[in-house]
Amino acid sequence: MKLMRVGPLGQEKPAILDKDGKVRDLSGHVADIGGAAISPEGLAKIAAIDPASLPEIAVDRIGACVAGTGKFICIGLNYSDHAAETGAAVPPEPVIFMKATSAICGPNDDVLIPRTSEKTDWEVELGVVIGKTAKYVSEADAMDYVAGYCVSHDVSERAFQTERAGQWTKGKSCDTFGPIGPWLVTKDEIADPQNLKMWLSVNGKTMQDGSSKTMVYGVAHLVSYLSQFMSLHPGDVISTGTPPGVGLGMKPPQFLKAGDVVELGIEGLGTQKQTFKADV
């Protein structure tokens, strides 16, 4: 299934995309796409609904694909070819950092460049959405805790991230730096999350053209690994790292400015399109 949330910011309705590409209203059956609705039992109930029986919705805006995200966990340097372009060694364990949940926005919402930013950058990433509470789970069982996948744009401010004192979080958490969606695609639709084409363009020029097959630590490993340190809850999002082609890795480095348009997508998970604007 392709689940989504549509409507004005803060007033999104839960919806499902039918086989003909029509958006159908799920609000008569679930309160939102999140929490119990994306548990195995909740997803089974939605799957039993005939989408043709649901009202069609005219879509003006697509919201973030999951509601109530408690943790937005990111994995750094998790693609061997991306680590190489940044000059960093592949880490011996996953590099974990957090993106503030206040950064989450819809897949096509404008992205705001912070007032003092000079190095705003792009990163297309595979997002993993947790469907049931995971704590101390094995890698063999880890996928039982995944509800599905989404496109995640880990927008980053490199000077905030690496040139200022402290951790990466402040370079990753600016408002609108976390577009997710358009859909939460349930895991049954994705045969192999470790073999998905990923791409990103800036102003029509392809910058990233990679695949999740070069991911160092795969989805099952990451879910298991993270669950050893913290419990994962329904609606939590893991953004699993980016392939090569980020602005920081170019010679000379290239960064985003107001007016730039970024488009990105992942095979089977849909596409995003954002206009970057100055945050005044």
Side-chain angles (χ1 to χ4, degrees):
M1 298 181 290
K2 293 180 175 70
L3 305 176
M4 56 196 303
R5 303 172 63 249
V6 300
L9 181 64
Q11 302 175 45
E12 294 92 346
K13 286 185 175 183
I16 186 170
L17 191 73
D18 72 14
K19 60 182 178 60
D20 298 318
K22 295 178 180 178
V23 178
R24 303 283 185 167
D25 188 352
L26 277 172
S27 61
H29 298 269
V30 296
D32 212 337
I33 304 300
I38 59 173
S39 68
E41 299 77 14
L43 291 175
K45 289 179 181 177
I46 295 174
I49 301 168
D50 178 8
S53 69
L54 301 171
E56 188 176 352
I57 306 178
V59 178
D60 292 324
R61 174 185 174 272
I62 301 173
C65 61
V66 63
T69 297
K71 292 189 288 298
F72 198 164
I73 307 166
C74 299
I75 310 298
L77 302 173
N78 195 33
Y79 281 67
S80 54
D81 38 8
H82 171 58
E85 77 170 341
T86 63
V90 172
E93 295 187 37
V95 172
I96 301 170
F97 62 92
M98 308 295 278
K99 184 184 281 277
T101 56
S102 54
I104 293 173
C105 63
N108 305 318
D109 289 349
D110 292 340
V111 173
L112 301 177
I113 298 175
R115 289 181 181 178
T116 59
S117 169
E118 295 181 353
K119 297 182 179 181
T120 295
D121 203 350
W122 57 84
E123 293 190 7
V124 59
E125 305 203 359
L126 173 65
V128 178
V129 181
I130 298 298
K132 68 176 182 177
T133 300
K135 188 172 183 179
Y136 301 125
V137 303
S138 68
E139 188 167 339
D141 294 335
M143 298 306 291
D144 294 341
Y145 297 83
V146 173
Y149 307 98
C150 65
V151 180
S152 174
H153 190 182
D154 181 18
V155 186
S156 308
E157 211 299 338
R158 302 302 187 188
F160 296 178
Q161 178 186 352
T162 62
E163 298 173 20
R164 305 280 291 272
Q167 300 177 340
W168 289 4
T169 301
K170 64 178 175 284
K172 298 284 189 170
S173 295
C174 306
D175 291 349
T176 70
F177 270 26
I180 54 173
W183 314 313
L184 191 172
V185 179
T186 51
K187 64 185 176 186
D188 57 293
E189 289 207 10
I190 303 299
D192 183 4
Q194 306 307 148
N195 190 25
L196 299 175
K197 294 178 182 177
M198 311 167 67
W199 61 272
L200 180 146
S201 69
V202 178
N203 300 326
K205 181 180 179 181
T206 298
M207 299 298 188
Q208 293 186 274
D209 183 13
S211 169
S212 61
K213 67 185 177 183
T214 64
M215 198 183 287
V216 177
Y217 300 105
V219 172
H221 182 87
L222 291 173
V223 172
S224 173
Y225 181 84
L226 289 167
S227 78
Q228 309 308 309
F229 305 102
M230 65 191 85
S231 57
L232 304 174
H233 298 275
D236 285 354
V237 175
I238 306 169
S239 202
T240 57
T242 196
V246 300
L248 179 65
M250 296 186 173
K251 300 186 188 315
Q254 179 176 333
F255 300 110
L256 295 164
K257 60 186 183 302
D260 285 343
V261 175
V262 176
E263 298 179 75
L264 59 150
I266 299 177
E267 180 181 359
L269 302 182
T271 62
Q272 301 184 359
K273 181 177 182 179
Q274 296 114 25
T275 299
F276 281 65
K277 297 185 175 180
D279 190 355
V280 296

